[in-house]
Amino acid sequence: MNIQAIIKMLTDSGIEEREAKKEVKMLLEHFCNYTEKDEILGHPLTEEHLKIVEGKVKSRLADRTPVQYIIGEAYFMGEFFKVTPDVLIPRTETELLVTKGIEIIKENNLKDVLDIGTGSGCIACTIAKRTNTTVLGVDISSDALRIALDNVTRLGINNRAVFRKSDLFSKIREEEKFDMIISNPPYIPMGTELEPELSHEPSIALFAEENGLQLYRKIVQDAPNYLKENGWLIFELGINEADSVKAFMSEYFTDVQTEKDLAGIERIIYGKLIYS
Ligand code: GLN
């Protein structure tokens, strides 16, 4: 089987051609050490390479496992993060959240950041790596925290991103105050029909009650107790959630703004604590 035929196996199963090509490239790189450079230099693919990739594509399609779980890694903001089905696969949309968070941190010289629902730790690790902050990542899942700890070691930022098991703020002490709280909470309304790949991801990382809004409501309500004067709150948003989250935030936060992603969806929201 040649590489075109392998790509066709994916597209015939309904995977878009661009995504199919990207996945084959990821599999070649990870399992065969065959990179884009080899392709540019015209190094031929061996029968062995093709056989390996064909096998991986077959197991990918057998139960629609996301390619990142097969590889065990996901690319996010210039780094490869370890992922397993215990954590959500980092998404491109979340790069927008982290980029804006870093911009606010740098402009305001912020120091202490709390990442709620840290999962793989991709947000906490990237912020710690790229700014002068210390980031505390919390998650309700011990299995997720194990992955986050592996990622912090991978990135070599051990003391700058730390992790704790906590159901939202439950294990945060009143005297711990942060300059910024950042979160990409589960935000898909319960019962939403999704593509089969998503059934491999942890459902607590995907779905939320109250039409997807429960975690925003809870975090907004408690955040003022854990923020310093002029602290910031920044979230990633699900589709059509901007107005409701803005309404929650406007009670305690000022200058609440949203930003759209490349698809024109209001994807992030942020505001500054009203200090009274
Ligand atoms: N913080 C992690 C991420 O953005 C996990 C988020 C989640 O599980 N909802 O990828």
Side-chain angles (χ1 to χ4, degrees):
M1 193 175 265
N2 65 22
I3 206 73
Q4 271 69 38
I6 297 177
I7 292 169
K8 192 165 177 297
M9 279 167 64
L10 286 158
T11 52
D12 282 351
S13 302
I15 290 155
E16 271 181 40
E17 187 165 348
R18 231 184 88 210
E19 171 67 19
K21 286 183 171 162
K22 199 181 89 188
E23 292 190 5
V24 166
K25 215 179 218 174
M26 286 162 77
L27 291 167
L28 276 170
E29 191 163 335
H30 188 82
F31 292 107
C32 310
N33 216 3
Y34 184 96
T35 63
E36 201 161 12
K37 200 167 153 196
D38 291 303
E39 197 186 331
I40 293 167
L41 294 175
H43 294 159
L45 285 166
T46 64
E47 281 301 315
E48 183 63 16
H49 288 155
L50 293 168
K51 215 192 257 151
I52 293 172
V53 175
E54 184 189 340
K56 298 297 172 187
V57 166
K58 280 191 176 146
S59 49
R60 150 98 174 89
L61 292 176
D63 61 357
R64 307 289 292 216
T65 303
V67 71
Q68 291 89 345
Y69 289 151
I70 291 178
I71 290 173
E73 284 185 346
Y75 184 77
F76 182 78
M77 292 194 80
E79 307 281 346
F80 285 95
F81 286 84
K82 175 177 173 178
V83 291
T84 70
D86 289 320
V87 297
L88 191 83
I89 297 165
R91 302 294 205 271
T92 319
E93 290 85 344
T94 308
E95 297 196 344
L96 209 63
L97 170 74
V98 173
T99 303
K100 187 71 202 180
I102 290 175
E103 189 187 307
I104 296 172
I105 288 167
K106 290 192 170 164
E107 261 170 24
N108 299 280
N109 199 19
L110 306 183
K111 291 279 173 264
D112 295 299
V113 178
L114 173 63
D115 170 26
I116 298 185
T118 199
S120 64
C122 63
I123 298 175
C125 291
T126 308
I127 291 180
K129 177 131 192 178
R130 297 197 182 190
T131 67
N132 278 324
T133 52
T134 304
V135 188
L136 171 62
V138 296
D139 206 286
I140 193 171
S141 158
S142 310
D143 295 330
L145 289 172
R146 265 190 280 280
I147 307 298
L149 283 171
D150 283 346
N151 281 321
V152 91
T153 309
R154 247 179 199 235
L155 268 71
I157 41 160
N158 281 57
N159 300 316
R160 310 257 320 290
V162 293
F163 296 96
R164 189 184 302 167
K165 184 171 165 141
S166 179
D167 179 3
L168 304 179
F169 297 97
S170 69
K171 292 291 186 299
I172 313 287
R173 293 183 298 279
E174 280 280 337
E175 67 275 15
E176 289 182 280
K177 302 272 186 211
F178 300 88
D179 296 300
M180 173 182 277
I181 296 172
I182 189 165
S183 184
N184 174 26
Y187 54 58
I188 301 173
M190 293 283 184
T192 308
E193 282 270 338
L194 298 171
E195 53 191 276
E197 278 77 2
L198 274 85
S199 67
H200 293 270
E201 298 191 83
S203 56
I204 51 160
L206 293 170
F207 298 102
E209 304 275 359
E210 300 171 26
N211 254 332
L213 297 169
Q214 187 187 49
L215 280 305
Y216 296 109
R217 181 182 60 72
K218 289 186 168 181
I219 294 170
V220 169
Q221 276 173 1
D222 280 346
N225 299 328
Y226 300 93
L227 280 171
K228 293 183 203 168
E229 186 176 345
N230 295 327
W232 295 78
L233 176 61
I234 176 165
F235 286 120
E236 180 172 322
L237 293 168
I239 296 170
N240 289 330
E241 294 181 336
D243 290 347
S244 309
V245 179
K246 200 173 211 168
F248 294 150
M249 285 181 71
S250 298
E251 198 174 326
Y252 312 96
F253 294 84
T254 177
D255 219 356
V256 178
Q257 291 176 59
T258 59
E259 274 182 24
K260 290 184 178 157
D261 65 15
L262 289 173
I265 294 164
E266 284 182 294
R267 191 52 80 180
I268 57 172
I269 189 163
Y270 54 94
K272 210 171 171 178
L273 184 66
I274 301 171
Y275 198 70
S276 48

